[in-house]
Amino acid sequence: SNARVKTLVIAGARDPATPPASGKWLASQIPDAQYVELNAAHLPNVECCRRCARVAKKRPRSDFVEPDPDSLW
């Protein structure tokens, strides 16, 4: 992977469209990515928005690097 920023992968434990195994695989492909599984289906940010927000806020922001727009595509 070419990811250069910390990455948080959030999956829904009951997601039939994108099962947790897909999120775990994605996180395993990105160096130092964090995987979190929430008690939700396909939209954890809607189904358990407060928990999702708490998880996201715990991620350190001090190492945030603005991506180079030319390298995104």
Side-chain angles (χ1 to χ4, degrees), residues 8 10 38 44-45 48-59:
L8 173 62
I10 300 175
L38 299 179
N45 60 320
C48 51
C49 59
R50 288 187 179 133
R51 175 71 178 132
C52 193
R54 280 194 301 270
V55 168
K57 284 182 179 181
K58 287 184 180 180
R59 297 292 294 165

Side-chain angles (χ1 to χ4, degrees), residues 4-5 64-72:
R4 293 180 283 158
V5 296
F64 179 77
V65 176
E66 186 69 35
D68 176 3
D70 295 329
S71 69
L72 296 178

Side-chain angles (χ1 to χ4, degrees), residues 8-20 23 35-56:
L8 173 62
V9 177
I10 300 175
R14 299 177 284 108
D15 187 345
T18 309
Y35 173 80
V36 175
E37 192 171 303
L38 299 179
N39 184 21
H42 191 64
L43 300 170
N45 60 320
V46 174
E47 297 170 54
C48 51
C49 59
R50 288 187 179 133
R51 175 71 178 132
C52 193
R54 280 194 301 270
V55 168

